[in-house]
């Protein structure tokens, strides 16, 4: 497969358990805005449409500018902001895994969205932008997809809750091409793991050539502390209002 690379790929965290910028609303859940040249994507919608839309306004982004929304998995804290978003941005493409319930897919269409389903394999979404595919999750949780972006130096990867396992999801990313992970951002869902399990996951992550690590949402405070200890140079603290990314291979953050 020929992989088209992106020269610009920037992220704004719109919804998270904590605020990075004081003016931003926070709450349990996750959502971020991803801007590439010619494309504006929303990844997940958090659990509050009011907070999501208010934070979009603070980020100076209008819903009608969005090209698509990608939903990681069918949990309320990642999808509950969608209905009102579709009210103010009708006919928006909603990219979701085949594992989403038929009831939810019908609701998306009733709300005015256009459903695009992703199967179990790595799937190109747009030039330089891929889904991990709808991956089976652990412990009877819903199947889940992440998104990753081709930069000339490596991959930028965004995950929602990593229910299939963060290492498994990153291995899927690297299966497309053996490139380093320039940035990994999102929920790693390590909050229910023992210290031994967290450290074991950190050992596995250390083998995957991750240059920047930004855990948030469901990662858990204890796990974040361990990851910060293990990856002191790579670790980035993020929250609602955080902005960062790449432009012509140069990384910067607000």
């Amino acid at each position: 497969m020929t992989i088209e690379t992106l020269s610009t790929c920037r992220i704004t965290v719109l919804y998270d358990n904590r605020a990075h910028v004081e003016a931003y609303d926070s709450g349990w859940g996750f959502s971020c805005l991803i801007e590439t040249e010619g494309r504006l994507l929303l990844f997940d919608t958090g659990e509050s449409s009011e907070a999501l839309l208010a934070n979009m306004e603070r980020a100076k982004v209008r819903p009608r500018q969005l090209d698509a929304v990608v939903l990681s998995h069918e949990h309320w804290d990642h999808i509950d902001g969608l209905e009102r978003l579709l009210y103010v941005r009708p006919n928006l493409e909603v990219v979701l895994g085949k594992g989403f319930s038929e009831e939810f897919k019908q609701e998306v269409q009733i709300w005015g969205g256009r459903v695009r389903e992703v199967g179990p394999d790595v799937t190109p979404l747009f030039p330089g932008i891929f889904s991990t595919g709808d991956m089976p999750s652990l412990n009877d949780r819903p199947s889940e997809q992440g998104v990753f972006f081709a930069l000339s130096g490596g991959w930028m990867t965004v995950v929602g809750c990593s229910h299939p396992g963060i290492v498994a999801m990153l291995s899927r990313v690297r299966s497309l091409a053996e490139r380093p992970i320039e940035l990994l951002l999102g929920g790693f869902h390590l909050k229910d793991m023992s210290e031994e399990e967290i450290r074991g996951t950190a050992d596995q992550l250390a083998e995957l050539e991750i240059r920047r690590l930004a855990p948030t949402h469901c990662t858990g405070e204890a796990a974040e502390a361990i990851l910060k200890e293990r990856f002191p140079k790579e670790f980035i603290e993020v929250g609602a209002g955080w902005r960062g990314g790449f432009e012509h291979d140069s990384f910067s953050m607000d």
Side-chain angles (χ1 to χ4, degrees):
M1 178 189 300
T2 300
I3 299 174
E4 182 176 335
T5 58
L6 304 168
S7 61
T8 300
C9 196
R10 295 189 60 81
I11 294 177
T12 302
V13 177
L14 290 176
Y15 199 90
D16 188 41
N17 310 357
R18 56 182 177 247
H20 179 79
V21 176
E22 188 175 347
Y24 277 67
D25 292 336
S26 61
W28 186 260
F30 184 69
S31 175
C32 67
L33 187 76
I34 305 161
E35 182 180 3
T36 69
E37 57 262 34
R39 198 80 59 182
L40 193 63
L41 305 179
L42 187 67
F43 181 81
D44 285 347
T45 65
E47 58 87 22
S48 167
S49 57
E50 291 79 6
L52 174 68
L53 292 172
N55 285 348
M56 287 183 70
E57 185 173 352
R58 293 180 179 106
K60 296 180 171 56
V61 174
R62 297 188 303 276
R64 290 187 179 276
Q65 294 176 273
L66 294 173
D67 294 297
V69 56
V70 181
L71 300 180
S72 60
H73 65 296
E74 196 172 350
H75 269 167
W76 59 272
D77 51 336
H78 295 259
I79 64 173
D80 274 10
L82 181 65
E83 181 178 2
R84 188 173 169 196
L85 175 68
L86 291 176
Y87 177 78
V88 297
R89 172 52 172 103
N91 203 38
L92 181 64
E93 182 174 76
V94 181
V95 183
L96 43 73
K98 287 186 177 294
F100 273 71
S101 66
E102 291 302 318
E103 179 183 6
F104 183 77
K105 294 172 189 175
Q106 291 172 10
E107 286 179 334
V108 170
Q109 295 177 73
I110 291 170
W111 298 336
R114 294 182 290 111
V115 172
R116 176 180 177 183
E117 294 187 28
V118 171
D121 301 320
V122 171
T123 304
L125 299 179
F126 305 101
I129 305 172
F130 301 85
S131 165
T132 60
D134 195 35
M135 300 177 63
S137 293
L138 307 173
N139 302 323
D140 298 321
R141 295 187 174 101
S143 57
E144 182 173 343
Q145 66 173 329
V147 290
F148 57 105
F149 304 80
L151 307 171
S152 59
W155 300 113
M156 190 172 85
T157 306
V158 180
V159 292
C161 264
S162 306
H163 288 310
I166 185 58
V167 174
M169 297 186 82
L170 286 182
S171 297
R172 179 71 67 88
V173 172
R174 287 174 62 86
S175 71
L176 186 60
E178 285 290 335
R179 299 179 176 193
I181 306 296
E182 288 282 3
L183 173 67
L184 169 62
L185 183 146
F188 300 173
H189 214 278
L190 306 178
K191 66 183 182 66
D192 300 322
M193 288 187 176
S194 67
E195 180 177 343
E196 181 180 1
E197 291 172 319
I198 294 168
R199 292 192 181 278
T201 300
D203 289 341
Q204 292 177 290
L205 290 174
E207 299 175 359
L208 293 175
E209 198 178 355
I210 301 173
R211 293 176 174 169
R212 296 169 187 85
L213 189 74
T216 187
H217 181 41
C218 57
T219 304
E221 291 183 3
E224 286 192 29
I226 290 171
L227 292 172
K228 188 173 184 178
E229 171 192 296
R230 180 62 187 273
F231 303 98
K233 295 181 179 179
E234 298 87 352
F235 191 94
I236 301 172
E237 293 185 4
V238 300
W242 180 88
R243 287 174 54 84
F246 297 85
E247 189 166 356
H248 302 293
D249 294 331
S250 177
F251 177 77
S252 63
M253 57 184 180
D254 299 344

